[in-house]
Amino acid sequence: MKVQELSAEQTADPGYDLCIVGGGIIGVLTAYQAAITYPNIRIALVERGEFGLGASQYAAALSSTLASTVLVGELSSESDRFYLNLARENPTLPIRQLPIIYVGDSSDPILHTTRTITEVKPDDPRFSLPLSQLTNAHRLLYGGDVLHIEPLGLIKSLVGKLRTFANVNCFKYTSVESVQIMPEDKLWLNTNRVFGIKAEQVLLALGPWSLFHQMTRSSVEVSCRNKKIVTMRLDVSPPGNCPVIFFPKEDAFLLPTDEQFLFSIRSDEWDIQPDQKLLISDADRRNGRRILERYAPNLLDYYDDRDVFCDCYSSNSEPVIIPHNRLSKVFIATGGNGRGVRLAPAIARMALTKLIPTSNYTQNSY
């Protein structure tokens, strides 16, 4: 790609202290935390389309109490605290608390947990369970309350808030095509628009596109792969007091909404390109039906397709926040492992810790 020639005016432009490329949940929350924590730095948030209309919009966004590693459990707890504080500050945000029940047989291992779980009976009066196939061999474990976040609504709300900050500019329909190093070790981002962006530091938060963008691919392809994620729809109204129902052995869950269940299931299709047309396969449908036949055959008549997307999975199931392999002062945040919304506040905090030398800036708590 041809390197853009910089004019004298562009070279003299003071630019931004931090430019975040990617307007999904991780990019937006990084910009939001930076704006709150460091009010005297200039921040640019750049998105190639509309904010929130990448992989984030499809996420079921459930904060389960189970975690694949101890670190993921700690990051989940940190993110829960952030989301709860955010909801207290603005009760209209699409963040709600729901009880969760884990269902499995007596041989199922319980992974690292971030909260205490207790065994309950199927007829516990606190919960209405739409599972017609429960037997004495099944264990039901109550994991307290978890959070459900509606990502697109939250992203739109936070971007609206960011637009009111004097130190933040949000650019949509702006694709960053390359980065070049300027004099004094500053960075220049060439875009598809008539303008470029100068920055001291850059965070590339491209989600599953990290494996395909020319700026990030070589840095992440050794440790990451994209995997498909499937969410079905069950067009039946959940009963009152219905909890989230999680099936750890199958890595699936039923999430009650006002009018239907969302049914998230595991898919084992790897190396997915996020810009291709993604479809729910016959294997996905058979897998979903097998789970319902095992626990809730009464829901099979309401089984329907909904969303399919993909995310970037790391080799150790933990988020990836790494320096670019060629460009100093450029970092990459990816590896949501299907939990990008759940872990986004903690991922944002970790990225800012690497990006911003706190001794140089006024710091507030968020």
Side-chain angles (χ1 to χ4, degrees), residues 20 35 37 48 62 80 129 155 166 170 194 198 228 251 257 273 280 285 295 300 325 347 363:
I20 299 161
T37 310
R48 68 172 186 168
L62 178 69
D80 279 2
L129 300 175
I155 288 169
C170 300
V194 295
K198 182 194 286 189
K228 189 167 81 170
D251 194 15
T257 69
Q273 296 188 30
I280 296 176
R285 295 186 184 93
Y295 300 106
L300 282 169
N325 62 352
I347 293 172
Q363 184 175 2

Side-chain angles (χ1 to χ4, degrees), residues 100-145:
I100 188 167
I101 297 289
Y102 300 100
V103 180
D105 61 43
S106 57
S107 65
D108 285 345
I110 298 300
L111 306 181
H112 305 289
T113 63
T114 57
R115 302 177 186 85
T116 302
I117 55 177
T118 56
E119 195 147 2
V120 297
K121 300 297 183 183
D123 59 353
D124 190 305
R126 292 174 295 175
F127 312 114
S128 297
L129 300 175
L131 307 176
S132 61
Q133 199 71 359
L134 290 178
T135 69
N136 291 333
H138 290 116
R139 294 181 69 202
L140 275 64
L141 299 169
Y142 171 49
D145 286 345

Side-chain angles (χ1 to χ4, degrees), residues 223-236:
S223 59
C224 295
R225 295 172 70 189
N226 279 355
K227 187 167 81 75
K228 189 167 81 170
I229 301 172
V230 174
T231 301
M232 306 290 193
R233 156 177 90 230
L234 304 181
D235 284 323
V236 59

Side-chain angles (χ1 to χ4, degrees), residues 13 27 30 61 68 74 95 115-116 125 128 150 164 167 170 190 200 232 241 277 279 281 286 312 321 327 340 363 366:
D13 178 8
T30 304
S68 54
E74 293 170 351
I95 301 171
R115 302 177 186 85
T116 302
S128 297
E150 195 280 292
T164 69
N167 62 325
C170 300
N190 297 312
E200 289 280 353
M232 306 290 193
N241 300 323
K277 183 174 177 58
L279 300 172
S281 68
R286 287 194 298 270
C312 183
I321 304 168
L327 295 168
Q363 184 175 2
Y366 64 78

Side-chain angles (χ1 to χ4, degrees), residues 143-182:
D145 286 345
V146 295
L147 296 180
H148 174 238
I149 297 102
E150 195 280 292
L152 185 55
L154 180 61
I155 288 169
K156 287 184 175 180
S157 178
L158 291 180
V159 170
K161 179 70 172 176
L162 285 169
R163 292 187 187 281
T164 69
F165 293 0
N167 62 325
V168 179
N169 281 331
C170 300
F171 301 97
K172 63 180 182 178
Y173 296 108
T174 303
S175 177
V176 175
E177 299 177 344
S178 63
V179 179
Q180 65 190 89
I181 300 174
M182 299 177 63

Side-chain angles (χ1 to χ4, degrees), residues 64-73 110-115 342:
S64 165
T65 57
L66 298 186
S68 54
T69 72
V70 172
L71 176 61
V72 169
I110 298 300
L111 306 181
H112 305 289
T113 63
T114 57
R115 302 177 186 85
R342 170 185 173 185

Side-chain angles (χ1 to χ4, degrees), residues 182-193:
M182 299 177 63
E184 300 179 359
D185 208 25
K186 296 185 186 296
L187 300 166
W188 182 263
L189 284 71
N190 297 312
T191 76
N192 62 331
R193 307 282 291 276

